[in-house]
Amino acid sequence: MTTIIENVQILQNLTSYTNDVTSVDFAGDCVLVTGSGDKRVRVWQWRSGTGYIEAYFSPLQGHKYGVTSVKVSPRSTMLASASIDGTTLLWNLRTGSKIHTMVQVGGEAVRVCRFSPDSTLLATAGDNGQVCLWDLVRRNLVRCFQKHDGAVQSVCFSPDSAWLITTCTFGVLKLFSTADIIDSCLSDNQTITALAWVDDAHDLGVVSCDFSTSQKIISNDPLTKLYQLVTCGNDHCVKLWEITIIQSKCETQPSSVNINLCRIMEKHSSALTCVCFNVNGLFIASSSLDKTAVIWETNSGKVMTIVSGHNRYVACCAFSRDGNLLATGSNDKSVIVWDLKGNLSVDSELVRRFTPALFLDNHEQSTEYEQTVMKNVESINDVRLIQRLEEHNGVVNSVAFYGNHLIASGSGDKLIRIWTIESEEETEDSEITMKFQEKSYSPLDGHKYSINHVEFSPCGGMLASCSLDGTVVIWNTEDGCQAKSSFVNSGSGIRVCRWSPDGTKIATAGDDERTTLWNVDNMEELCIFRGHSDAVNAIAFTPDSCYLITACNEGTWRLFDIVDNKNCAALIICGEAHDLGVQGCDFSPSSDFIYNRRININNDKQFYLLATGGNDSMVKLWQITIGKRNVTATGSIGGTGDDIQYKEKKTFTGHGGNVTCVRFSPIHSEILGSVATDRTARIWSIYSGVCLYVLEEHESLVTACAFSEDTSLFITGALDKTVLIWKIPQQLISQNILMNNLKYNRKKVIDWKIDDTLKWLDEIGLSMLIKNASAISLTGRQLFSLSENELIKKLHIEQDDETAEAFKTQLYWLKREDDNSIEISIDDTEIPHEFLCPITHEIMKEPVQCSDGFTYEKAAINEWFLCGKYTSPMTNKSLRDTSFTPNIILRNAIYTFLHGNRPQL
């Protein structure tokens, strides 16, 4: 990384353009991307002996009018280009293929696009003052908002992706919380407000802005963060700002945000066009209508150099990621690449050794690659019906899954059937075939009347079934015998039976309007919950087994505490959940809903996400918040107690009949399944509320549904006496895994919550400390504020010298990595090639091993999957499994190489 700029000279002049060059950016390996008024995006790669040459797939053509902005994703796998035509295109930087098209709301010209540093979001903005935020995982619009009166010409994210700066031609600069924007997408009524703003940042308008990668913690309590921002405008000035954000421990909103002007840098003689930091934030580059570009030293404001080589105004500038190059684009239809070290030539080696090329080398190779990718996409893009089970002689009222290998169904023919799923060897087209075999003891015959519900125990060793005959039977899934004596809830039919997630309790409910809680060990009655005035159709436990929801035909649902068996009164009564009755309900297994990134900041409250389906053809999502004190809350929707709240978050519409069952996908809970009397099943995105798939193979009313543990299979049962098994697209499964991975994208340690700390301990091979760390609620702040000895004592490892020493070393490395001010200067020739990520060609900091056997930087492989590429970056072959595991041995070797061993005090 260049820390000194001297003897700046022209390295190469690129003149392939037929119009002005409007935007430039660098990817890894000094790959250069340019956008022009000629509607084209050009991609240049460095070849020693020749200099920059266009990639074989360049130029990229897809815009109808001039390109205004080009940006490379943080890990160099994607490219975004914006245009006057109102669109922003997302490209695969490896092959030049178009991934997705994003159309600005209203179709107005787009002037700027920027990736968030965590690769999950893309911000676009333009002439009408609107800012659009796009979700790159789901490829949809998160939010569009208009908070500027003038055209927005620049936006940028803070290095931790937590804050978004927007500026306009009226000279106004505003700062927003990214989490606020994401959260507000759940409610159209929730307005987005700027946390801070400057009305006169630049006279005549702000043209460009950029955050430094430097982020400092200047106080731990209250937590105070300091960011650096640079802006330029039509007033000929470059301005350096400091943004201070103060946030106390338990607050979701900052208690104070200040934007202070630190320095005004004046050298240009005309309006500016672009400004940017270099990678380590030590230098700033600016370009101007005065035909020059200036490089400034950040800390002093000193002019390091003025470069002038263009015949007309300079429209844009960008530093290479290694800091050795500067590119400037001009109205003279050229791009000049400047050598900032003063010792480079076209014969220099700018690309890291021992790593595969960022691009495929030729058209034939790329075509083969794209065909492989497209074949993969085509084969996984639709839900496919893979099996019909037609053994029942009566209507199928209930279906259940255990893990990925056991299916159960209950029918009006009084029988329960259980199947096993066996995966057979891959066929020539890489498809795994599945064999569905009914258990030898199936069917189970123990009820006198129709089976209403079946459900596997959490351990899979037992199956509960309930019937119209008023009994519940517990079956052993190994031999088909009754594991427990059957018990009678009442003389009325039992409609539903559910296991608590911890496996210690069973709840039953039915026509007698009551719900009974049973102890599984001795089958003794623990409590009876009353209050409904109609049959109870559906019940569900919270994932922590603390609470129970009951729902009935009158359209209400009630929440009960099952830990305190002495209090059988409802904690919450939602009186108007669904008109005409509630038919199904289910809790999300995860309380960390992806759309609310701040949800676990307050440890005094627990959050649950509930789905309900009703006779009004709707599926609804409810957020339930429970504090440490339980206070009864009654009334209509929105009724709350002091520490218990519930709120309707979303309504899914699309079914044309009564919704009979709803189920979350296990583990990740990103999707929801529902079935209805309209003979269809639907799969929904929890995040966006969009119906992803409609399944229409049943010939009669659909009654029940369930997901396999890995979400790869979805089963439905119906009045047509069949159980249908559907194959879920690999893309949807991979998206779930990706979302889960991106929740833990690398952020400043000071921002770590307890879950982040526990995940870090697991990833560095110290999982034995997780229990103790969880018990003391160890956060990132404590890791940095407490001394080593205090931490060792709190974790109770004073007597375990080996573990204590390993923890101290890992903590030393963590602090070194988290400190932006520490500059590590290593010659490329000294770096072992196995330390370099095959995707970014940079030293890995979080190496993870994928199912292809190769190791990549965690953030890089996540971004690779964001492109929709579920293939190996090394072999181009399809990856069936997109999960990965930390490569702890390699990580320790890299950190030893970079930081050495911990100094002995």
Side-chain angles (χ1 to χ4, degrees):
M1 181 67 65
T2 297
T3 55
I4 299 175
I5 293 177
E6 57 186 2
N7 301 322
V8 176
Q9 61 184 7
I10 294 178
L11 181 61
Q12 195 170 0
N13 196 333
L14 309 176
T15 56
S16 301
Y17 308 92
T18 59
N19 209 318
D20 56 326
V21 178
T22 56
S23 184
V24 294
D25 197 18
F26 279 97
D29 270 355
C30 293
V31 169
L32 176 65
V33 177
T34 62
S36 170
D38 63 9
K39 314 176 195 176
R40 293 174 173 84
V41 176
R42 297 181 186 273
V43 181
W44 306 81
Q45 60 185 129
W46 182 265
R47 287 283 175 83
S48 177
T50 307
Y52 275 107
I53 62 171
E54 279 196 70
Y56 72 89
F57 54 74
S58 180
L60 306 178
Q61 301 185 62
H63 289 292
K64 297 179 180 178
Y65 299 108
V67 177
T68 54
S69 178
V70 292
K71 283 294 173 184
V72 176
S73 63
R75 303 294 168 174
S76 302
T77 67
M78 295 181 287
L79 163 68
S81 61
S83 168
I84 298 171
D85 64 14
T87 68
T88 302
L89 302 182
L90 198 63
W91 307 87
N92 181 331
L93 191 52
R94 181 176 170 85
T95 63
S97 58
K98 185 166 65 177
I99 298 172
H100 190 61
T101 300
M102 291 159 279
V103 180
Q104 202 76 358
V105 176
E108 302 292 334
V110 188
R111 296 294 173 182
V112 62
C113 59
R114 290 293 283 265
F115 287 93
S116 62
D118 65 7
S119 304
T120 61
L121 301 169
L122 182 76
T124 62
D127 284 355
N128 64 351
Q130 281 187 336
V131 178
C132 291
L133 201 64
W134 305 87
D135 181 333
L136 294 179
V137 179
R138 304 174 185 87
R139 311 261 173 82
N140 62 359
L141 179 64
V142 173
R143 188 71 168 177
C144 179
F145 61 97
Q146 187 166 1
K147 295 296 177 181
H148 288 278
D149 295 326
V152 176
Q153 293 189 309
S154 66
V155 298
C156 62
F157 288 94
S158 61
D160 55 9
S161 302
W163 316 103
L164 176 68
I165 287 284
T166 62
T167 69
C168 76
T169 51
F170 286 4
V172 179
L173 179 153
K174 295 189 175 185
L175 181 141
F176 299 90
S177 162
T178 307
D180 275 351
I181 300 171
I182 294 172
D183 292 351
S184 65
C185 73
L186 294 170
S187 171
D188 293 332
N189 299 323
Q190 187 172 345
T191 58
I192 297 172
T193 56
L195 300 179
W197 59 89
V198 178
D199 287 329
D200 54 352
H202 288 271
D203 292 339
L204 308 177
V206 184
V207 174
S208 180
C209 64
D210 193 28
F211 265 109
S212 169
T213 56
S214 173
Q215 173 191 334
K216 298 178 181 177
I217 306 298
I218 56 179
S219 173
N220 192 23
D221 193 13
L223 177 60
T224 306
K225 301 178 186 177
L226 185 67
Y227 304 88
Q228 283 188 318
L229 176 77
V230 66
T231 61
C232 68
N234 292 319
D235 55 4
H236 307 186
C237 297
V238 175
K239 294 185 178 182
L240 184 67
W241 310 80
E242 282 189 347
I243 299 177
T244 307
I245 296 178
I246 302 174
Q247 187 171 345
S248 59
K249 184 176 292 186
C250 293
E251 288 183 342
T252 58
Q253 291 282 6
S255 55
S256 173
V257 179
N258 297 308
I259 303 176
N260 300 311
L261 180 61
C262 295
R263 185 178 298 112
I264 299 176
M265 294 174 277
E266 297 178 289
K267 191 66 178 179
H268 289 286
S269 59
S270 189
L272 279 87
T273 56
C274 184
V275 67
C276 61
F277 280 102
N278 77 333
V279 173
N280 57 17
L282 296 179
F283 301 106
I284 297 168
S286 60
S287 59
S288 168
L289 299 183
D290 63 10
K291 305 179 187 178
T292 70
V294 177
I295 298 179
W296 317 76
E297 186 177 56
T298 303
N299 289 337
S300 65
K302 173 186 173 183
V303 174
M304 302 300 295
T305 188
I306 301 174
V307 297
S308 55
H310 289 288
N311 299 323
R312 306 189 70 175
Y313 70 81
V314 184
C316 50
C317 59
F319 285 102
S320 63
R321 298 197 176 188
D322 63 3
N324 295 331
L325 305 177
L326 177 76
T328 55
S330 169
N331 182 244
D332 64 8
K333 306 177 187 178
S334 73
V335 171
I336 296 179
V337 181
W338 304 86
D339 167 21
L340 303 183
K341 296 172 67 176
N343 60 359
L344 301 177
S345 70
V346 292
D347 295 321
S348 298
E349 288 281 358
L350 301 185
V351 180
R352 293 233 192 230
R353 301 178 306 137
F354 308 122
T355 56
L358 182 63
F359 304 124
L360 299 176
D361 289 332
N362 55 62
H363 179 71
E364 290 76 16
Q365 191 179 359
S366 176
T367 302
E368 181 181 349
Y369 171 78
E370 283 301 310
Q371 287 174 349
T372 302
V373 172
M374 290 311 296
K375 180 182 177 183
N376 189 34
V377 170
E378 289 166 3
S379 66
I380 65 175
N381 228 10
D382 293 318
V383 175
R384 294 184 291 115
L385 177 62
I386 61 172
Q387 185 73 30
R388 287 177 179 270
L389 303 177
E390 301 176 310
E391 282 77 5
H392 280 295
N393 293 318
V395 299
V396 177
N397 292 321
S398 180
V399 293
F401 236 119
Y402 172 69
N404 302 313
H405 65 277
L406 274 183
I407 293 174
S409 61
S411 169
D413 62 9
K414 312 175 193 176
L415 301 177
I416 299 157
R417 294 183 182 272
I418 300 179
W419 290 267
T420 59
I421 305 174
E422 296 178 1
S423 298
E424 297 186 345
E425 292 184 2
E426 295 186 10
T427 57
E428 292 182 1
D429 60 356
S430 298
E431 183 74 19
I432 289 181
T433 59
M434 292 184 176
K435 184 178 180 181
F436 300 88
Q437 184 72 43
E438 191 166 0
K439 284 276 195 179
S440 59
Y441 57 73
S442 180
L444 303 177
D445 186 358
H447 289 284
K448 296 178 181 178
Y449 298 114
S450 173
I451 310 295
N452 286 332
H453 194 87
V454 294
E455 183 168 285
F456 287 102
S457 63
C459 67
M462 293 181 284
L463 177 79
S465 62
C466 63
S467 167
L468 188 61
D469 63 12
T471 66
V472 173
V473 178
I474 309 296
W475 307 89
N476 187 316
T477 57
E478 289 297 321
D479 55 21
C481 296
Q482 290 193 24
K484 306 278 184 180
S485 300
S486 63
F487 54 95
V488 179
N489 189 35
S490 71
S492 303
I494 302 178
R495 298 197 176 199
V496 60
C497 56
R498 301 289 298 267
W499 295 81
S500 63
D502 63 9
T504 63
K505 301 177 182 71
I506 286 181
T508 63
D511 294 341
D512 61 1
E513 304 169 5
R514 302 185 305 173
T515 301
T516 306
L517 189 67
W518 306 85
N519 184 318
V520 172
D521 290 336
N522 54 25
M523 304 314 292
E524 289 184 356
E525 180 183 293
L526 295 175
C527 191
I528 297 177
F529 303 114
R530 296 179 172 88
H532 291 290
S533 58
D534 209 333
V536 178
N537 295 318
I539 56 180
F541 287 91
T542 54
D544 56 9
S545 300
C546 291
Y547 302 94
L548 178 72
I549 281 283
T550 64
C552 78
N553 268 338
E554 65 180 336
T556 67
W557 59 256
R558 293 166 179 256
L559 180 77
F560 297 93
D561 184 345
I562 63 172
V563 176
D564 181 8
N565 295 330
K566 296 179 181 179
N567 178 18
C568 294
L571 300 178
I572 298 177
I573 302 173
C574 177
E576 301 174 2
H578 291 270
D579 293 339
L580 310 176
V582 184
Q583 291 293 326
C585 64
D586 198 31
F587 273 105
S588 165
S590 170
S591 62
D592 185 17
F593 327 134
I594 190 62
Y595 54 66
N596 194 338
R597 296 188 175 188
R598 300 188 312 247
I599 205 155
N600 286 326
I601 288 179
N602 191 337
N603 293 319
D604 293 332
K605 293 185 178 181
Q606 183 62 49
F607 299 84
Y608 304 101
L609 185 65
L610 172 71
T612 58
N615 292 334
D616 54 6
S617 305
M618 295 180 184
V619 175
K620 295 184 178 182
L621 293 184
W622 310 81
Q623 181 177 306
I624 299 174
T625 307
I626 301 179
K628 288 184 176 179
R629 294 183 299 110
N630 290 341
V631 180
T632 301
T634 61
S636 60
I637 289 181
T640 64
D642 291 340
D643 64 347
I644 302 179
Q645 300 176 359
Y646 72 96
K647 181 166 61 174
E648 182 180 332
K649 299 296 290 186
K650 273 184 179 295
T651 299
F652 300 165
T653 58
H655 278 298
N658 302 352
V659 179
T660 53
C661 182
V662 292
R663 287 292 182 268
F664 280 98
S665 59
I667 303 175
H668 305 299
S669 307
E670 265 285 295
I671 61 177
L672 180 76
S674 65
V675 294
T677 57
D678 60 5
R679 304 184 180 185
T680 69
R682 289 176 178 259
I683 295 178
W684 310 84
S685 165
I686 295 299
Y687 180 83
S688 66
V690 172
C691 179
L692 303 174
Y693 302 100
V694 180
L695 314 180
E696 301 179 292
E697 289 291 331
H698 281 291
E699 298 175 359
S700 188
L701 315 184
V702 192
T703 57
C705 62
F707 286 99
S708 63
E709 185 178 40
D710 63 3
T711 319
S712 63
L713 297 177
F714 183 60
I715 56 174
T716 56
L719 298 191
D720 60 10
K721 306 178 184 178
T722 65
V723 175
L724 301 186
I725 302 175
W726 309 83
K727 179 71 174 174
I728 299 293
Q730 177 68 31
Q731 181 178 1
L732 194 57
I733 302 167
S734 300
Q735 198 176 81
N736 276 322
I737 295 172
L738 182 57
M739 277 312 312
N740 195 49
N741 290 336
L742 290 173
K743 287 181 189 179
Y744 301 99
N745 251 335
R746 193 156 185 80
K747 52 187 173 184
K748 299 297 285 185
V749 177
I750 202 75
D751 296 324
W752 282 7
K753 302 194 216 28
I754 300 168
D755 288 346
D756 299 310
T757 307
L758 301 184
K759 190 170 181 64
W760 171 68
L761 289 171
D762 184 52
E763 290 180 345
I764 61 175
L766 294 177
S767 56
M768 73 288 290
L769 300 181
I770 288 178
K771 184 177 180 180
N772 291 345
S774 179
I776 63 173
S777 301
L778 187 61
T779 64
R781 288 196 205 188
Q782 291 172 318
L783 283 174
F784 275 16
S785 60
L786 298 178
S787 69
E788 284 184 354
N789 291 333
E790 286 177 309
L791 288 169
I792 295 296
K793 187 174 181 180
K794 281 180 172 289
L795 291 170
H796 303 296
I797 52 174
E798 309 100 306
Q799 307 304 319
D800 188 343
D801 292 341
E802 184 178 349
T803 302
E805 189 60 33
F807 176 78
K808 289 179 181 179
T809 299
Q810 294 289 349
L811 185 62
Y812 168 70
W813 288 340
L814 182 68
K815 291 179 177 180
R816 293 270 300 180
E817 274 300 303
D818 201 64
D819 190 347
N820 291 99
S821 64
I822 296 176
E823 189 67 35
I824 302 170
S825 181
I826 300 174
D827 192 321
D828 280 1
T829 59
E830 299 176 359
I831 304 173
H833 67 88
E834 63 269 20
F835 289 4
L836 301 177
C837 172
I839 299 174
T840 64
H841 301 178
E842 297 172 358
I843 296 179
M844 293 181 282
K845 303 300 177 64
E846 292 181 282
V848 293
Q849 189 170 37
C850 283
S851 57
D852 62 358
F854 293 97
T855 297
Y856 309 93
E857 174 67 19
K858 178 181 173 182
I861 194 65
N862 275 335
E863 191 180 284
W864 178 270
F865 294 144
L866 272 178
C867 297
K869 297 183 288 193
Y870 303 114
T871 56
S872 165
M874 296 296 285
T875 66
N876 295 332
K877 293 181 179 179
S878 298
L879 291 175
R880 187 165 304 282
D881 182 4
T882 54
S883 60
F884 45 70
T885 55
N887 190 330
I888 297 171
I889 295 175
L890 181 60
R891 179 189 180 279
N892 290 345
I894 292 172
Y895 277 52
T896 302
F897 175 76
L898 291 176
H899 305 298
N901 293 315
R902 182 178 65 90
Q904 299 297 320
L905 300 178

